Amino acid sequence: MVGIDKINFYTPNTYIKLEELANYRGVDPDKFTIGIGQSKMSVPPISQDTVSMAANAAYPLLTKNDLNNIDLIVVGTETGVDESKSVASFIHQLLDIHPFAKSVDLKQACYGATAGLMMAVDFVRLHPDKKALVIGSDISRYGLNSSGEVTQGAGAIAMIISSSPSILEIEEVSVSMTKSIFDFWRPNYSKTAIVDGKFSNEAYISFFSELWHEYKNRTARSFEDFSAFCFHLPYTKMGKKALMPLLDAEAPNNKDLLLEHYQLSTTYSRDIGNIYTGSLYLSLMSLLESTLSSLKENQRIGFFSYGSGAVAEIFSGKLVPGFKDALLTKQHDTLLNDRISLSIDSYTDMFNDELAIDSEGNHLFKQDKTDNGVFFFKGVENHQRLYGKNKE
Ligand code: HMG
């Protein structure tokens, strides 16, 4: 049995209330809070980037045993910090993982962390005495006053994969699908994503429908075999739009259960926003950590991973006895409740704050006062990114 032994997320300490943003933009707040289904959006200070967020997500999970037995570090990201050097290689050093591990990034929009999870699970199946660290870390940026602005966010998830998982066994059956499309993309020369919003929604919905039918054919499973379904959530209404049409033929009991669990899986994303690669796993934590969840050991959860461009996968996992004891519910509660609400001006300043590297390749700055990350980005010296670590 191989699967998720530990799981955590990190999001920066600052956010903007979407009701305030709607008022400022002259939009009916209901459009953002009901139409899109988002309440708050994490906004990262310059001192939190893809690397520092990844380190902050993984750090609380790691024991000495993990540090000595993680032989694979894989980071899914579409907002890496270097065209050549992997985020995983920074993480390897920041977290002090033993020298004989391999470290690599995987990219395919929001699908990257799922590719990493599948790679890690296969790796541990082959080497059951070893562990793997899987991370999804991203900053989602569409631009101020753009149509995608309300679906931005920032954060990272981290999971330890082992052959004695405490939370979820990942089952062997899964079905993937690829179609090269331009629904959402970010050319190398652009700091913000380009998106065909309506087409991206349609692509997401049709990928789920086509994949589900293929999955059903190949596995002979139906929705009745699942107690819950977790989705990649660019905004919290998206998964429901894809799921609802396929539930029409379901018995009312089963439909209600899946929709109830869907709702519980959206709580964290509603208050954080789109964290791209980590989003699906944030849904899983939101579902499992909800006090309203009635999920029990051995029940099956389905997963829909979608990355624009586009690649998707449906896979499943079974809850392990005692899984609730392995969750970091309290820590996540504190992380989300202790955040600072930004004014529109501070949000705009933070959004526009960027590296201004001089001709020698230097720009160092102090950790933002609002930033409470254990790991933080210190800036660039001689073209090399530097990171700091606070005492806890
Ligand atoms: P938009 O044009 O601002 O919004 O774009 P809209 O006019 O489509 O309205 C959105 C919803 O609000 C609609 O509901 C309206 O009816 C409703 P729906 O028809 O969808 O059920 N609405 C209201 N509701 C209550 N009160 C009101 C009101 N007014 C309107 N007063 C869009 C929205 C999401 C397209 C835009 O924000 C966008 O382009 N976002 C980025 C793209 C995106 O998130 N796409 C999702 C699928 S692609 C994906 O998931 C991959 C991704 O994560 C990237 C990756 O893989 O790396 C994005």
Side-chain angles (χ1 to χ4, degrees), residues 235-379:
Y235 56 96
T236 68
K237 214 169 159 194
M238 187 69 249
K240 197 171 176 182
K241 282 190 198 207
L243 180 63
M244 279 298 269
L246 301 189
L247 288 183
D248 277 350
E250 288 300 298
N253 272 358
N254 199 36
K255 184 174 171 172
D256 290 351
L257 181 74
L258 290 178
L259 287 177
E260 195 184 302
H261 282 150
Y262 174 81
Q263 215 49 46
L264 300 180
S265 77
T266 63
T267 313
Y268 289 165
S269 294
R270 176 175 261 281
D271 283 346
I272 293 175
N274 190 357
I275 61 165
Y276 288 162
T277 46
S279 167
L280 174 63
Y281 305 95
L282 194 60
S283 307
L284 173 65
M285 281 179 263
S286 181
L287 172 67
L288 299 185
E289 294 173 8
S290 168
T291 49
L292 302 173
S293 163
S294 55
L295 284 167
K296 293 191 177 53
E297 62 190 54
N298 296 323
Q299 289 187 323
R300 177 178 287 129
I301 300 178
F303 294 86
F304 177 61
S305 180
Y306 178 82
S308 284
V311 179
E313 181 160 353
I314 293 180
F315 63 98
S316 63
K318 275 193 166 175
L319 287 166
V320 171
F323 70 92
K324 280 207 170 116
D325 299 336
L327 300 169
L328 299 179
T329 312
K330 259 199 192 140
Q331 289 88 327
H332 294 156
D333 221 40
T334 309
L335 177 72
L336 290 178
N337 289 331
D338 287 359
R339 292 184 298 166
I340 299 161
S341 169
L342 295 173
S343 66
I344 296 288
D345 283 348
S346 308
Y347 157 61
T348 309
D349 288 348
M350 251 188 208
F351 189 92
N352 288 327
D353 198 10
E354 54 182 36
L355 280 175
I357 294 170
D358 67 19
S359 56
E360 259 103 57
N362 299 310
H363 179 200
L364 292 170
F365 42 79
K366 289 221 164 78
Q367 185 176 24
D368 195 286
K369 277 195 203 107
T370 58
D371 180 5
N372 67 352
V374 173
F375 292 93
F376 60 97
F377 176 40
K378 289 194 333 194

Side-chain angles (χ1 to χ4, degrees), residues 33-74:
T33 56
I34 300 168
I36 299 282
Q38 294 299 124
S39 300
K40 295 174 184 169
M41 183 170 89
S42 283
V43 181
I46 194 168
S47 50
Q48 283 302 324
D49 70 0
T50 300
V51 171
S52 62
M53 292 193 304
N56 284 321
Y59 180 64
L61 298 180
L62 299 168
T63 60
K64 218 173 181 130
N65 178 289
D66 296 325
L67 296 177
N68 291 330
N69 286 292
I70 288 172
D71 270 16
L72 170 68
I73 306 163
V74 53

Side-chain angles (χ1 to χ4, degrees), residues 120-138:
V121 165
D122 287 346
F123 177 82
V124 175
R125 278 190 187 123
L126 262 180
H127 308 281
D129 54 329
K130 295 298 177 191
K131 298 181 183 186
L133 173 62
V134 178
I135 293 174
S137 183
D138 277 298

